[in-house]
């Protein structure tokens, strides 16, 4: 697994990119070239040079469009009434519509009626009532790290901003092995985020193509073989893109290896409450690591579990190990995070964090949020069952138990790139080229159509 410092996913999962529409007809192109000839004779000498830019193509090459947002654009442009969006991981209700959580509507109402709110800047570290409750949500209110003052939390631009801030912090201050080990596959943006701050990424095996489950052997072996003190990026639950999570026993083994090798764990938590519908259960791996006394980083997103995608509510947490100097260490870390934050975004946006904070700080609203989470995860789980049984009824070749074994927002179907492209071209079904589907895009109205379309491409490819 050689470290790579280029954004590998952009190369491997690039969907069709639009080329510039410069294909003018031959007659108009010849008159165009005549005009440009005349123009070049009339123009001053300097403008006849090929380019006066500081950013020529060999310095700033044309980059491919982001695969996921490109897919979203292509879906929006498709005029077929049958089209299905199984691309980006955003919850949809049974009518295929975005769902504003009822508890979020309530919090919004409360905020709008609060005469004391204004649009002043937040502190650099964000809204304290939000960050402290975010930490409790993730680590537990009785977490030893919180009680002992060994944790610091800073509000970020959703999960992406939190991963980025962590990456930046490591790039500046981490003196161990600076290669970041990520799962193969992982959320494609992980590579870009780390590579962009100069930290190379390497991959540990994760997904077993045969069982469509976890390659635990491969994963543990790679972590044992990685140089001591490597950074290890982990998804605490609802792994993206595979939907495959280690069991708690496997997490314990992973923790033992990470401890033995002195690796540095960095958790990216984007789906707490989405995997099982239970916030505590989905935090079990993280809480185990904290109980074991690890020093670690954690990026926390509220995009999915609050349905606050575009509001960019998130948090970054650093925890240091217990010991006499712990409080002083965490204060130093916090001070440097504040400097990084100030130079990057100065201070974080208010609205999403205010919504989440209103819910997190009110026991009644919190209980209602848990019901909303159960609604979302419950609908996804029922779609998993329905999809599996429909494919099995149709007798679609292959096994489909992985659809119900996998967990969270996504299922890694095992469909090949060719099959994915046929689904897009022939059936207007949009999913990423790696065969990932966002389960929330399925509903009682379109699931038959999808199962039949999958059956067709699997039986005729
Ligand atoms: N980390 C992981 C593992 C994710 O899957 C995502 C989102 C994020 C972080 C970032 O989320 P946030 O910045 O919106 O909080 N992944 C999505 C969207 C849902 C995306 O790629 O941006 C996905 O479809 O994979």
């Amino acid at each position: 697994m050689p470290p790579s410092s280029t954004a590998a996913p952009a190369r491997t999962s690039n969907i069709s990119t639009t080329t510039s529409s410069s294909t003018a007809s031959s007659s108009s192109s010849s008159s165009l070239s005549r005009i440009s000839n005349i123009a070049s004779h009339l123009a001053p000498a300097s403008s006849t040079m090929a380019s006066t830019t500081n950013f020529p193509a060999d310095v700033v090459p044309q980059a491919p469009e982001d695969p996921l947002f490109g897919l979203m654009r292509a879906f929006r442009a498709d005029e077929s009434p049958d089209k299905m969006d199984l691309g980006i991981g955003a919850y949809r209700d049974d009518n295929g519509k975005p769902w504003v959580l009822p508890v979020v509507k309530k919090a919004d109402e409360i905020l709008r009626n609060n005469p004391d709110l204004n649009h002043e800047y937040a502190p650099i570290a964000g809204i304290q009532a939000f960050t402290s409750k975010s930490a409790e949500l993730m680590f537990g209110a009785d977490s030893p790290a919180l009680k002992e003052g060994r944790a610091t939390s800073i509000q970020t631009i959703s999960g992406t901003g939190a991963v980025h801030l962590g990456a930046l912090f490591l790039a500046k201050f981490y003196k161990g092995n600076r290669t970041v080990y990520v799962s193969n596959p992982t959320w494609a943006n992980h590579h870009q985020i780390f590579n962009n701050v100069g930290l190379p990424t390497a991959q540990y095996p994760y997904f077993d193509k045969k069982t469509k489950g976890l390659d635990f052997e491969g994963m543990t072996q790679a972590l044992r073989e990685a140089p001591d003190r490597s950074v290890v990026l982990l998804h605490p639950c609802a792994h993206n893109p595979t939907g495959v999570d280690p069991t708690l026993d496997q997490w314990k083994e992973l923790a033992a290896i990470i401890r033995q090798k002195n690796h540095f764990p960095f958790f990216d938590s984007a789906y707490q409450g989405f995997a099982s519908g239970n916030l505590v259960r989905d935090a079990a791996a993280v809480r185990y690591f904290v109980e074991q006394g690890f020093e670690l980083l954690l990026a926390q997103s509220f995009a999915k579990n609050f349905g606050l995608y575009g509001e960019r509510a998130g948090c970054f947490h650093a925890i240091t190990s217990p010991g006499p100097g712990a409080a002083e260490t965490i204060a130093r870390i916090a001070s440097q995070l504040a400097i990084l934050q100030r130079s990057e975004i100065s201070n974080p946006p208010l609205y999403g964090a205010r919504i989440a904070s209103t819910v997190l700080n009110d026991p009644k609203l919190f209980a209602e949020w848990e019901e909303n989470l159960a609604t979302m995860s419950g609908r996804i789980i029922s779609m998993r069952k329905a999809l599996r049984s429909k494919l099995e009824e149709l007798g679609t070749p292959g096994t489909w138990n992985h659809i119900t074994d996998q967990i969270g927002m996504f299922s890694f179907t095992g469909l090949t790139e060719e099959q994915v492209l046929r689904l897009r071209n022939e059936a207007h079904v949009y999913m990423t080229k790696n065969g990932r589907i966002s389960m929330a895009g399925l509903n009682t109205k379109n699931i038959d159509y999808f199962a039949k379309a999958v059956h067709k491409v699997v039986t005729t490819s």
Side-chain angles (χ1 to χ4, degrees):
M1 290 167 301
S4 91
S5 58
T6 55
R11 253 187 284 121
T12 52
S13 56
N14 172 29
I15 65 153
S16 59
T17 53
T18 42
T19 49
S20 69
S21 53
S22 60
T23 44
S25 74
S26 60
S27 69
S28 71
S29 72
S30 70
S31 55
L32 271 180
S33 73
R34 245 183 301 126
I35 291 169
S36 96
N37 263 340
I38 295 166
S40 69
H41 285 301
L42 297 174
S46 67
S47 73
T48 60
M49 279 157 55
S51 169
T52 53
T53 180
N54 288 292
F55 311 106
D58 57 338
V59 179
V60 184
Q62 180 66 41
E65 184 177 22
D66 180 80
L68 200 57
F69 281 76
L71 191 68
M72 194 156 87
R73 195 185 45 74
F75 170 79
R76 286 183 179 155
D78 189 329
E79 285 170 4
S80 165
D82 296 328
K83 67 177 179 176
M84 286 180 69
D85 181 10
L86 306 181
I88 202 147
Y91 184 76
R92 301 284 176 257
D93 66 13
D94 196 48
N95 294 312
K97 296 275 181 279
W99 195 53
V100 181
L101 272 59
V103 75
V104 166
K105 283 190 180 159
K106 279 193 187 167
D108 181 63
E109 190 69 24
I110 293 169
L111 291 174
R112 268 187 294 123
N113 291 320
N114 183 345
D116 297 331
L117 287 187
N118 53 43
H119 302 291
E120 294 296 293
Y121 291 125
I124 289 173
I127 302 170
Q128 215 264 332
F130 166 71
T131 54
S132 60
K133 283 289 168 185
S134 300
E136 286 181 17
L137 183 75
M138 192 72 246
F139 304 113
D142 55 355
S143 170
L146 300 185
K147 280 193 184 152
E148 294 159 21
R150 299 188 274 115
T152 185
S153 306
I154 182 165
Q155 190 187 323
T156 56
I157 309 277
S158 210
T160 306
V163 177
H164 171 69
L165 188 64
L168 206 57
F169 180 78
L170 290 174
K172 196 159 180 194
F173 297 108
Y174 191 62
K175 301 297 178 209
N177 176 28
R178 293 165 65 83
T179 298
V180 180
Y181 282 74
V182 298
S183 58
N184 181 19
T186 190
W187 181 45
N189 214 14
H190 281 148
H191 293 278
Q192 298 193 124
I193 293 173
F194 289 106
N195 294 168
N196 281 345
V197 297
L199 298 179
T201 46
Q203 296 181 315
Y204 55 80
Y206 192 82
F207 186 70
D208 183 335
K209 286 199 171 117
K210 261 191 253 119
T211 63
K212 300 192 181 70
L214 183 65
D215 178 4
F216 190 62
E217 281 291 312
M219 180 182 186
T220 48
Q221 191 188 336
L223 294 181
R224 279 197 193 93
E225 286 170 3
D228 286 3
R229 300 192 66 205
S230 295
V231 179
V232 182
L233 196 285
L234 298 158
H235 304 219
C237 72
H239 182 270
N240 179 8
T242 67
V244 173
D245 288 343
T247 62
L248 192 53
D249 281 340
Q250 288 171 327
W251 277 116
K252 290 180 180 174
E253 262 186 72
L254 290 168
I257 295 165
I258 290 171
R259 151 94 0 110
Q260 191 200 348
K261 293 283 301 180
N262 268 313
H263 290 330
F264 186 71
F266 187 164
F267 286 96
D268 180 10
S269 173
Y271 301 94
Q272 189 186 2
F274 233 91
S276 67
N278 181 314
L279 289 157
V280 173
R281 203 177 312 154
D282 289 353
V286 169
R287 291 184 188 186
Y288 178 76
F289 273 70
V290 175
E291 272 164 35
Q292 295 302 301
F294 279 93
E295 181 164 73
L296 56 83
L297 303 181
L298 187 136
Q300 182 180 32
S301 168
F302 289 103
K304 271 67 73 168
N305 53 13
F306 269 109
L308 286 171
Y309 307 92
E311 303 301 346
R312 318 305 293 139
C315 216
F316 174 75
H317 310 272
I319 287 184
T320 192
S321 303
E328 183 257 336
T329 301
I330 211 69
R332 282 188 286 103
I333 292 173
S335 71
Q336 292 294 346
L337 288 171
I339 302 271
L340 295 176
Q341 174 98 315
R342 175 82 170 116
S343 62
E344 291 266 310
I345 63 165
S346 187
N347 50 80
L350 291 168
Y351 178 73
R354 278 179 174 162
I355 293 276
S357 182
T358 303
V359 176
L360 295 173
N361 281 287
D362 179 322
K364 262 182 76 184
L365 291 178
F366 190 95
E368 192 175 333
W369 178 42
E370 289 182 299
E371 284 170 26
N372 293 172
L373 280 168
T375 301
M376 292 193 285
S377 60
R379 202 185 78 69
I380 287 175
I381 290 166
S382 76
M383 285 302 109
R384 288 187 181 279
K385 289 184 186 147
L387 179 59
R388 176 181 172 182
S389 64
K390 281 187 198 303
L391 291 170
E392 286 174 351
E393 272 164 35
L394 288 167
T396 310
T399 54
W400 300 99
N401 58 299
H402 58 281
I403 303 283
T404 50
D405 293 347
Q406 295 170 358
I407 194 166
M409 185 71 101
F410 302 110
S411 189
F412 217 43
T413 58
L415 293 170
T416 63
E417 186 173 323
E418 187 204 332
Q419 291 166 339
V420 168
L421 292 179
R422 280 189 60 201
L423 280 167
R424 193 179 309 166
N425 297 333
E426 297 170 21
H428 307 273
V429 172
Y430 291 78
M431 53 198 276
T432 51
K433 277 187 177 177
N434 58 8
R436 182 189 92 166
I437 55 174
S438 176
M439 290 304 301
L442 295 175
N443 57 55
T444 53
K445 286 125 197 159
N446 66 15
I447 195 161
D448 270 327
Y449 175 85
F450 178 65
K452 283 180 189 148
V454 169
H455 183 77
K456 187 170 165 215
V457 299
V458 172
T459 49
T460 59
S461 60

